């Protein structure tokens, strides 16, 4: 945890924060902090800064935050991701938030197992927990918005055109396509397929909506690695 995140509502009338539970354990055991030290903090949805640790024992830590700086800029990208299996979904949520994705659409595709939509990871509180872990890592406070798109065709036909307004549409698909561009200017929408890949019909539909198919070369990456590699290469 590189940033201790808190909700605005956690501060008392004097602006102090009382930290208990896992965050307290982290402050004491991982950071080895005690009363008199300072720690980097951020208000979820707000500024980041430092906090004086006024008191700290096994029960709670009392912090006096001073928030001064905005969080880092988000990447200018909307990520459209075929819903991966739960274990990978947890990792992808963390790394998408960590890398600065501002908006994530989890979509159904032909090769997405129907059972994946039943995972408890998709419960709003659990999703939020994984996203916060990514933000804590990269010292960000702004939660990405997550949208569940359970029907591929209506999403691509009815919603994608509006999302693509003013954005370059890119779908990563292994095969004989132009190489994925590097360091692009402006906003983009990036679509990444499921573990079995998009089917030709889906690539066709995405193409008609305005997404160009690009390749990362002959090496087929796991979804979690494809997300990181593509974002790093595009921006
Ligand atoms: N067998 C699948 C196929 O050929 O499409 C592999 C799918 S891959 C595990 C999961 C997703 O990551 C793909 O749908 C694509 O979006 C992205 N991906 C992985 N490796 C890629 C590559 N070399 N070029 C383009 N996209 C890639």
């Amino acid at each position: 945890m590189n940033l201790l995140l808190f909700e605005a509502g956690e501060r008392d009338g004097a602006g102090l924060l009382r930290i208990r539970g896992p965050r307290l354990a982290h402050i004491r055991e991982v950071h080895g902090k005690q009363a008199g030290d300072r720690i980097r903090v951020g208000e979820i949805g707000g500024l980041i800064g430092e906090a004086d640790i006024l008191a700290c024992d096994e029960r709670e830590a009392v912090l006096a935050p001073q928030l001064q700086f905005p969080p880092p800029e988000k990447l200018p990208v909307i990520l459209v991701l075929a819903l991966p299996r739960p274990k990978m979904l947890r990792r992808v949520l963390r790394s998408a938030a960590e890398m600065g994705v501002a908006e994530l659409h989890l979509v159904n595709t032909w090769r997405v197992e129907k059972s994946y939509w039943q995972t408890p990871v998709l419960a709003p509180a659990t999703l939020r927990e994984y996203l916060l872990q990514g933000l804590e890592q990269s010292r960000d406070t702004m939660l990405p918005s997550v949208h569940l798109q359970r029907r591929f065709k209506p999403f691509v036909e009815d919603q994608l055109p509006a999302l693509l307004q003013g954005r370059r549409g890119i779908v990563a698909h292994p095969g004989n396509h132009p190489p994925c561009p590097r360091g692009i200017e402006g906003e983009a929408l990036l679509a990444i397929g499921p573990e079995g890949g998009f089917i030709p019909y889906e690539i066709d539909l995405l193409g008609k909506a305005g997404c160009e198919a690009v390749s990362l070369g002959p090496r087929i990456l796991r979804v979690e690695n494809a997300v990181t590699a593509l974002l790093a290469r595009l921006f």
Side-chain angles (χ1 to χ4, degrees):
M1 187 200 295
N2 293 315
L3 184 71
L4 185 136
L5 287 170
F6 64 91
E7 299 277 5
E10 286 186 85
R11 293 174 87 163
D12 67 14
L16 300 181
L17 260 181
R18 293 174 190 279
I19 302 291
R20 298 181 179 179
R23 286 178 301 172
L24 173 64
H26 201 86
I27 291 173
R28 299 179 77 220
E29 291 157 24
V30 178
H31 290 285
K33 299 281 187 185
Q34 51 191 357
D37 290 340
R38 305 197 89 197
I39 187 161
R40 206 179 301 264
V41 295
E43 184 181 292
I44 297 169
L47 299 177
I48 59 180
E50 289 203 320
D52 288 315
I53 303 179
L54 305 182
C56 186
D57 60 22
E58 61 282 348
R59 198 175 65 90
E60 70 175 13
V62 182
L63 311 185
Q66 290 168 341
L67 303 178
Q68 291 163 302
F69 308 107
E73 291 279 318
K74 293 289 190 196
L75 294 179
V77 69
I78 293 176
L79 181 59
V80 173
L81 183 71
L83 182 68
R85 69 193 143 96
K87 189 174 169 192
M88 193 163 301
L89 174 61
R90 287 194 283 267
R91 293 193 205 127
V92 171
L93 288 169
R94 275 192 291 249
S95 42
E98 184 178 322
M99 294 204 62
V101 170
E103 185 172 331
L104 172 64
H105 292 257
L106 294 168
V107 297
N108 195 37
T109 70
W110 183 254
R111 292 192 177 129
V112 168
E113 294 259 349
K114 297 290 165 275
S115 63
Y116 294 173
W117 289 100
Q118 308 307 322
T119 175
V121 181
L122 290 177
T126 315
L127 271 179
R128 191 172 188 277
E129 204 44 52
Y130 288 108
L131 296 172
L132 286 174
Q133 290 174 14
L135 298 184
E136 285 170 349
Q137 175 62 37
S138 61
R139 292 188 180 153
D140 192 355
T141 61
M142 306 301 288
L143 280 160
S145 63
V146 179
H147 309 264
L148 306 185
Q149 309 289 1
R150 293 169 191 269
R151 295 170 67 217
F152 181 79
K153 191 165 180 272
F155 169 67
V156 174
E157 289 184 340
D158 303 338
Q159 294 191 47
L160 204 56
L163 295 176
L164 281 167
Q165 284 284 326
R167 296 192 172 85
R168 180 169 176 180
I170 292 170
V171 51
H173 192 51
N176 191 18
H177 310 292
C180 178
R182 296 175 188 271
I184 62 170
E185 299 289 332
E187 305 255 339
L189 179 145
L190 170 66
I192 299 180
E195 280 154 285
F198 287 116
I199 61 172
Y201 167 77
E202 290 163 343
I203 290 294
D204 193 43
L205 217 56
L206 287 165
K208 284 184 181 138
C211 295
E212 50 176 316
V214 302
S215 166
L216 278 176
R219 210 175 279 278
I220 306 298
L221 303 181
R222 261 179 289 175
V223 173
E224 61 192 291
N225 292 331
V227 170
T228 314
L230 285 156
L231 291 176
R233 181 153 157 163
L234 286 170
F235 304 102

